[in-house]
Amino acid sequence: LIHWGSDGRSSLGPDGKRQAKVLFICTHGGATVAVQDNIDTQKLTEVGVLLFSSPSLKGSSLDNSFRQGICSIWSSVGTEGVVLVHMGSDIADERAHAVAKAVLENIVAERTIILDTSSKFVVPDATGSIVRYLQTEASANSAGEGAGCEGLETGLVLGGLSAALLTAAQLRSRHAVLYVGLSAEPSEAANQWQWRNSR
């Protein structure tokens, strides 16, 4: 599922896997938009692409720009060991576990940080951070993760690619954290969580 460019192939280990100190995975939507708005691709080198659907085959020339419809893999220039997976295409729920497996089996990182957003969960009358996090057991056993935000409340269940990635990391005993940006919306039911039905 992963096509490595020449720069990517040169960094693979004898086992064909890419080692990283930190792996950032930005899921399609608000997370990828935030990356596109705040990261200069001139400080990154595109080293590969995920090939799992026809849109991913279009424009996969490994040029230095984020492209819609392309799920690309980047390496930081000047900061050794930092890899970014930019999901420029939405992943269907039924393919999420296969994609998560492909990413985590081919990129072995000391720390994995997954970035996602959700409009289904609403924080009424939020005044502070509306970022919540979930982490694997390996991450929970080390200090420093989740600083500045709260854990995702019990009873709120995430699905799709981000959940599949966190599950895959847990099964591999990886140090991984999922950060989710939630929606803020005024409501009379302050301090209570609400579920916004998809329409």
Side-chain angles (χ1 to χ4, degrees):
L1 289 177
I2 292 183
H3 166 70
W4 295 105
S6 57
D7 289 337
R9 288 193 298 272
S10 65
S11 299
L12 300 180
D15 57 359
K17 301 180 187 298
R18 172 122 189 178
Q19 302 294 320
K21 292 181 180 178
V22 183
L23 168 62
F24 289 92
I25 305 173
C26 303
T27 63
H28 184 67
T32 51
V33 171
V35 167
Q36 290 165 197
D37 290 344
N38 293 282
I39 293 183
D40 181 3
T41 56
Q42 297 306 309
K43 297 180 180 180
L44 301 172
T45 298
E46 190 172 10
V47 295
V49 290
L50 285 158
L51 302 178
F52 48 81
S53 63
S54 54
S56 296
L57 297 172
K58 298 178 181 178
S60 55
S61 58
L62 300 184
D63 59 5
N64 254 36
S65 63
F66 293 126
R67 301 179 303 285
Q68 291 301 316
I70 306 296
C71 294
S72 49
I73 304 169
W74 301 75
S75 177
S76 177
V77 175
T79 305
E80 185 178 354
V82 177
V83 175
L84 166 69
V85 177
H86 179 273
M87 294 290 180
S89 175
D90 197 13
I91 309 298
D93 288 352
E94 60 268 22
R95 309 192 75 169
H97 288 284
V99 172
K101 179 180 178 181
V103 171
L104 295 183
E105 284 191 350
N106 285 280
I107 306 174
V108 180
E110 296 175 15
R111 295 176 60 215
T112 298
I113 298 175
I114 306 159
L115 304 177
D116 195 5
T117 58
S118 175
S119 60
K120 292 184 177 180
F121 300 114
V122 179
V123 187
D125 297 332
T127 56
S129 170
I130 54 171
V131 175
R132 300 291 187 263
Y133 77 96
L134 286 173
Q135 59 187 333
T136 59
E137 290 182 8
S139 176
N141 291 332
S142 62
E145 297 297 348
C149 63
E150 302 174 15
L152 192 66
E153 279 73 357
T154 302
L156 299 183
V157 180
L158 294 173
L161 181 60
S162 58
L165 286 163
L166 196 66
T167 299
Q170 173 68 28
L171 292 174
R172 290 164 176 76
S173 299
R174 301 277 181 87
H175 184 298
V177 184
L178 163 62
Y179 292 96
V180 186
L182 305 178
S183 297
E185 182 174 282
S187 170
E188 294 180 0
N191 304 318
Q192 294 182 9
W193 286 86
Q194 297 179 341
W195 175 263
R196 176 188 294 164
N197 294 321
S198 298
R199 298 182 183 275

